Amino acid sequence: MIKISPSILASDFSKLGEEISRVEKAGADMIHLDVMDGHFVPNITIGPPVIKSLRDVTGLPFDVHLMIDNPERHIEAFIDAGADILSVHVEKNPHLHRTIEMIKNHGRRASVVVNPATPLNTLEVILDKVDMVLLMTVDPGFGGQQYIDGMTQKIRDLKKMAVERGLGFDIEVDGGIDLDNIYEVTQAGANVIVAGSAIFNAPDIAGMIRDLRRKAFSAEEIK
Ligand code: DX5
Ligand code: ZN
């Protein structure tokens, strides 16, 4: 089973609530919310008040991707706002264990993220404590970028680490995922798929989510 997590970064920000309802009706499994602080990444997006205002719009889990410095300082605010899964980067996070513990102590799902250039061995100390690992397949900061090819091997390597250690964490991929590469990433071991522009730029978003699911299990062309 794979899960599809549309990134609202590619949606129309003037009507975020309606955009979330639209992807929920179209068959999304969760909602990916990209939080950027202008320090960890060059861009600035949304914070806890906006997430809180969207919480009642949907029953789907909020998959909150924190691209911020010192995430530990803000974990409680995001949990209060309604985050269900919180992903924190290993880069610029000196207190990774404390941050992950904080998330788990609040009964939420804890996830760690690595940028494309960050090696997987930075995860070794924390792998047995997380519910999910998010592998960035583009440098974070913007939607609509191209998938970095070398990331497929990284997904395979992470899957191998999970199997060798007998761990069942989810593997989420984020950045440049579309109909052309979803089969490749799921074959490599990813089971949670973030897609922003592929979904929100599609004329028929329900059709796109359905096709992404089909392509995740089949290398055949969709007619
Ligand atoms: C990038 C964000 C992604 C982005 C994905 O920094 O973390 O979630 O919105 O968008 P696409 O699918 O368009 O690459
Ligand atoms: Zn993201």
Side-chain angles (χ1 to χ4, degrees):
M1 267 297 278
I2 63 145
K3 292 204 162 92
I4 305 277
S5 190
S7 163
I8 59 149
L9 192 59
S11 74
D12 181 343
F13 268 38
S14 71
K15 45 180 184 181
L16 273 182
E18 288 164 46
E19 292 285 74
I20 287 176
S21 299
R22 204 155 73 93
V23 281
E24 178 173 18
K25 286 195 195 86
D29 298 298
M30 51 179 93
I31 305 293
H32 187 82
L33 298 145
D34 287 305
V35 176
M36 305 185 186
D37 68 351
H39 293 277
F40 184 76
V41 285
N43 204 356
I44 302 178
T45 55
I46 58 168
V50 175
I51 293 177
K52 194 175 191 131
S53 76
L54 297 167
R55 187 55 285 187
D56 289 341
V57 169
T58 176
L60 292 182
F62 276 177
D63 170 28
V64 178
H65 178 191
L66 298 175
M67 286 160 274
I68 60 177
D69 284 354
N70 296 307
E72 168 194 353
R73 285 196 213 152
H74 305 280
I75 292 300
E76 290 193 351
F78 283 102
I79 287 172
D80 288 345
D84 298 288
I85 306 165
L86 291 99
S87 292
V88 294
H89 277 258
V90 298
E91 305 90 3
K92 297 248 220 135
N93 188 349
H95 308 142
L96 191 57
H97 286 81
R98 189 184 298 146
T99 314
I100 293 296
E101 278 310 306
M102 208 184 269
I103 298 169
K104 289 168 70 174
N105 288 341
H106 282 87
R108 306 301 153 102
R109 288 172 70 76
S111 159
V112 275
V113 198
V114 284
N115 280 339
T118 305
L120 289 178
N121 62 18
T122 56
L123 297 174
E124 265 163 23
V125 290
I126 201 83
L127 267 192
D128 61 336
K129 305 202 166 44
V130 297
D131 299 298
M132 184 169 87
V133 175
L134 167 49
L135 289 185
M136 288 310 299
T137 45
V138 298
D139 283 331
F142 304 95
Q145 301 181 84
Q146 203 171 356
Y147 180 84
I148 298 172
D149 285 328
M151 294 302 108
T152 306
Q153 187 56 44
K154 198 173 181 186
I155 303 166
R156 276 189 215 111
D157 293 344
L158 177 64
K159 181 68 187 177
K160 189 161 169 259
M161 285 167 79
V163 171
E164 280 170 2
R165 290 165 174 74
L167 299 170
F169 54 79
D170 288 321
I171 299 179
E172 182 174 52
V173 284
D174 182 9
I177 308 293
D178 58 21
L179 287 176
D180 291 332
N181 56 25
I182 190 165
Y183 181 68
E184 183 179 321
V185 299
T186 53
Q187 282 296 102
N191 68 319
V192 183
I193 309 296
V194 177
S197 38
I199 290 175
F200 283 99
N201 293 347
D204 167 12
I205 60 168
M208 175 53 70
I209 291 177
R210 193 186 55 235
D211 288 349
L212 283 168
R213 271 190 221 287
R214 278 170 52 196
K215 282 287 269 183
F217 298 106
S218 161
E220 278 172 37
E221 283 296 309
I222 293 175
K223 291 176 191 78

